Amino acid sequence: MSAAGQALPGPRGAPLLGTFLPFLQRDLLQPFSQLVARYGPLFEVRLPLGHRLVMVAHPEAVEHVLRSGSANYIKGSVYDGTRLLLGRGLVTGEGEHWRRQRELANPAFRPAQLEQYLAVMSDCTAQLLRDWQEMQNLAPVDAQHEMTRLTLAIVGRTLFGLDLSRHSERAADAFSVALAAIGRRGPSMLQLPLWIPTPANLRFRHSLRILDDMIYEIIGSFRAGDSEHSGYTLLGAYMASRNPLSGQGMDDRQLRDEVITLYLAGHETTAGLLSRTLYLLSRHPVTRTRVITEIDSVLAGRKPSIERLKRLQFTSQVINEVLRLYPPAWTIARNAVAEDRIRGYRIRKGSIVMVSPYFTHRQEEFWPEPERFDPDRFAPGRTSGRHPFAYLPFSLGPRVCIGMQFSLYEARLVLGMLLRHFEPQPVPGDEVGSRAAGTLRPAGKLEIRLQRR
């Protein structure tokens, strides 16, 4: 123990090289799982050339990084890989720029606006149901593919006022490649510059070109007046905004960064949540029956308003449990600005600090039998006394996800409509695990069989 704090546990590695070989894998979930099992929820990994990575998975330490000590933990160089895709949008921005963009975005996610979005979400889900009803042979479907197609349509119409269905396949594929590339450009500090024509870099650059072409087409369509909505859209608010000092509006590059951030964040989280929920319901018949019974009782063919969706108590518990087991953002990275102490341990200046919802949600002290799917963990009365930072699928603190309620209401509405007409049935085979590919993604196809009700 020194005045600065106790040294963090963790693998020492070799001089200069540190511990880097495990992090050359495409999927970082396995090496980190092994390290958490060995060293616990707070440890340090020494990386090449003196870099240090601190894993944070204990709720008390999470709270310090994301709330009480958040001024010391910024989205600095650790987000450089993500900025290759998202630029300096709402997710990657810092300081005054981020505050200004957040203020612009806030009205799009207020309750009154969410109520208006429900009609669009219903229309898009009804179209998916029509597609499913027309299927002659109800062969297994990939839930991830179907839910991605749906959520891309929803985000296009709600936030941009545009029908982007023609882009859905290309957008989903390009985002998948780009996110995997970002995941590989992780903490090893050994990635080659993007301009070097390695196969991985060429794939990444190709996906960026596809996405940029689509994003600039979205901006051009909106400028040309092709929006389906004369009311509020977030893209419209961005285009109308002016810098308070210069009076200048956003140029197309700034708009591009915000639009691609919304396009990704607006569909990725909810698509993953919905596909995992349908998949788990197919494999847990008792839970499936309870959800369907509640939906039939509460909605009963009525228009899904916010008030009715709030009454889907058990369905919400299922959603929360899916997010506990499979948080889309499996880590939340920060750079330590100055030396600090967390739970008595020394955090060195410049360290990469990785808060991990995935591993926090698996701390047995707070989540008994953490790998078991149990929606009753979130039943009324069961959550009292649990550390408030033991559960953070949308992050917490000042940078909590602005679209959290959008995503949760969308999930309840979509499940409420789909399960009124179809019951997900299991496809034989081992349960599909997860892999870290930028975000947390399934390690294989989430296949389900649709049974008409």
Side-chain angles (χ1 to χ4, degrees):
M1 175 79 76
S2 69
Q6 185 177 353
L8 283 160
R12 289 196 166 273
L16 294 180
L17 293 178
T19 303
F20 76 96
L21 288 176
F23 302 108
L24 296 179
Q25 300 181 34
R26 290 192 172 189
D27 177 17
L28 295 179
L29 210 56
Q30 183 178 355
F32 274 118
S33 295
Q34 293 169 349
L35 290 170
V36 170
R38 181 172 180 181
Y39 296 107
L42 187 60
F43 61 86
E44 180 181 78
V45 176
R46 298 185 184 185
L47 300 173
L49 305 178
H51 294 286
R52 294 171 185 265
L53 182 148
V54 178
M55 170 59 75
V56 174
H58 191 284
E60 289 179 6
V62 171
E63 188 280 333
H64 181 85
V65 174
L66 296 184
R67 186 173 67 182
S68 60
S70 62
N72 190 52
Y73 298 95
I74 66 169
K75 293 188 174 185
S77 61
V78 72
Y79 269 77
D80 285 348
T82 305
R83 291 187 182 105
L84 292 173
L85 172 61
L86 300 183
R88 294 192 175 270
L90 194 58
V91 167
T92 57
E94 277 288 312
E96 187 57 36
H97 170 79
W98 170 79
R99 280 187 286 274
R100 187 167 59 250
Q101 299 306 93
R102 178 90 176 201
E103 287 173 6
L104 281 174
N106 277 334
F109 299 99
R110 289 174 181 158
Q113 192 63 34
L114 288 174
E115 190 79 63
Q116 294 184 36
Y117 293 154
L118 295 186
V120 177
M121 294 175 184
S122 296
D123 287 347
C124 294
T125 308
Q127 180 57 58
L128 179 66
L129 280 169
R130 286 191 290 272
D131 293 345
W132 285 3
Q133 294 285 6
E134 292 174 1
M135 293 168 60
Q136 297 298 317
N137 176 23
L138 290 182
V141 299
D142 181 356
Q144 181 81 18
H145 176 271
E146 295 296 296
M147 294 303 100
T148 298
R149 184 161 63 98
L150 172 60
T151 56
L152 280 169
I154 288 172
V155 75
R157 290 184 56 190
T158 53
L159 299 185
F160 309 141
L162 298 169
D163 179 2
L164 302 179
S165 56
R166 68 188 183 282
H167 290 314
S168 62
E169 297 290 340
R170 282 197 308 148
D173 290 345
F175 273 127
S176 181
V177 172
L179 287 169
I182 288 172
R184 288 193 294 272
R185 302 183 72 88
S188 69
M189 303 294 183
L190 296 177
Q191 296 301 324
L192 294 172
L194 196 58
W195 56 264
I196 296 177
T198 66
N201 280 350
L202 290 173
R203 288 192 298 270
F204 190 15
R205 284 157 51 181
H206 179 66
S207 70
L208 286 177
R209 284 195 297 273
I210 291 172
L211 291 169
D212 279 348
D213 287 347
M214 286 189 287
I215 298 306
Y216 286 119
E217 182 180 331
I218 289 170
I219 295 169
S221 296
F222 198 95
R223 287 197 192 280
D226 293 341
S227 173
E228 300 172 12
H229 303 292
S230 57
Y232 183 93
T233 63
L234 188 48
L235 181 53
Y238 281 143
M239 286 189 172
S241 70
R242 294 293 180 268
N243 185 296
L245 298 178
S246 68
Q248 295 293 314
M250 292 189 198
D251 60 26
D252 278 2
R253 178 66 200 192
Q254 289 175 292
L255 285 169
R256 177 263 179 212
D257 292 349
E258 296 300 342
V259 170
I260 198 169
T261 297
L262 293 168
Y263 203 18
L264 172 62
H267 87 274
E268 170 80 9
T269 297
T270 316
L273 167 58
L274 285 167
S275 58
R276 274 291 183 185
T277 302
L278 291 172
Y279 180 77
L280 287 171
L281 289 179
S282 76
R283 302 174 78 89
H284 293 268
V286 174
T287 301
R288 179 174 71 241
T289 298
R290 288 179 67 184
V291 170
I292 289 174
T293 299
E294 179 181 73
I295 287 170
D296 288 349
S297 172
V298 172
L299 298 182
R302 293 185 289 266
K303 183 180 178 181
S305 64
I306 283 182
E307 286 308 309
R308 289 198 182 99
L309 294 175
K310 284 180 179 177
R311 291 165 54 197
L312 295 176
Q313 172 63 42
F314 184 69
T315 305
S316 297
Q317 291 174 209
V318 170
I319 289 169
N320 287 337
E321 177 69 346
V322 173
L323 286 169
R324 183 188 71 82
L325 286 167
Y326 305 103
W330 74 282
T331 61
I332 301 164
R334 295 289 188 269
N335 286 106
V337 177
E339 188 128 332
D340 197 8
R341 288 179 66 173
I342 298 180
R343 305 194 82 215
Y345 289 102
R346 181 186 183 187
I347 308 298
R348 294 174 184 268
K349 176 182 177 179
S351 294
I352 298 169
V353 178
M354 290 179 64
V355 170
S356 177
Y358 181 88
F359 293 114
T360 303
H361 294 174
R362 283 165 168 75
Q363 292 302 302
E364 203 156 4
E365 177 184 353
F366 305 94
W367 305 101
E369 299 181 79
E371 296 294 340
R372 184 165 65 91
F373 175 62
D374 178 14
D376 284 324
R377 298 178 198 272
F378 293 92
R382 290 279 301 274
T383 60
S384 59
R386 188 178 295 147
H387 195 291
F389 279 73
Y391 183 69
L392 62 157
F394 293 93
S395 189
L396 286 170
R399 299 296 294 254
V400 65
C401 176
I402 193 173
M404 176 175 67
Q405 293 302 326
F406 181 102
S407 178
L408 293 175
Y409 279 117
E410 181 181 356
R412 278 176 276 187
L413 180 144
V414 170
L415 290 171
M417 291 183 66
L418 296 183
L419 297 178
R420 288 277 295 159
H421 299 275
F422 289 91
E423 189 169 330
Q425 297 292 328
V427 172
D430 294 336
E431 188 162 323
V432 176
S434 298
R435 61 186 175 92
T439 56
L440 192 70
R441 293 197 154 205
K445 286 187 176 182
L446 296 176
E447 287 193 319
I448 59 172
R449 195 176 296 277
L450 299 171
Q451 178 178 296
R452 289 189 174 94
R453 295 185 61 203

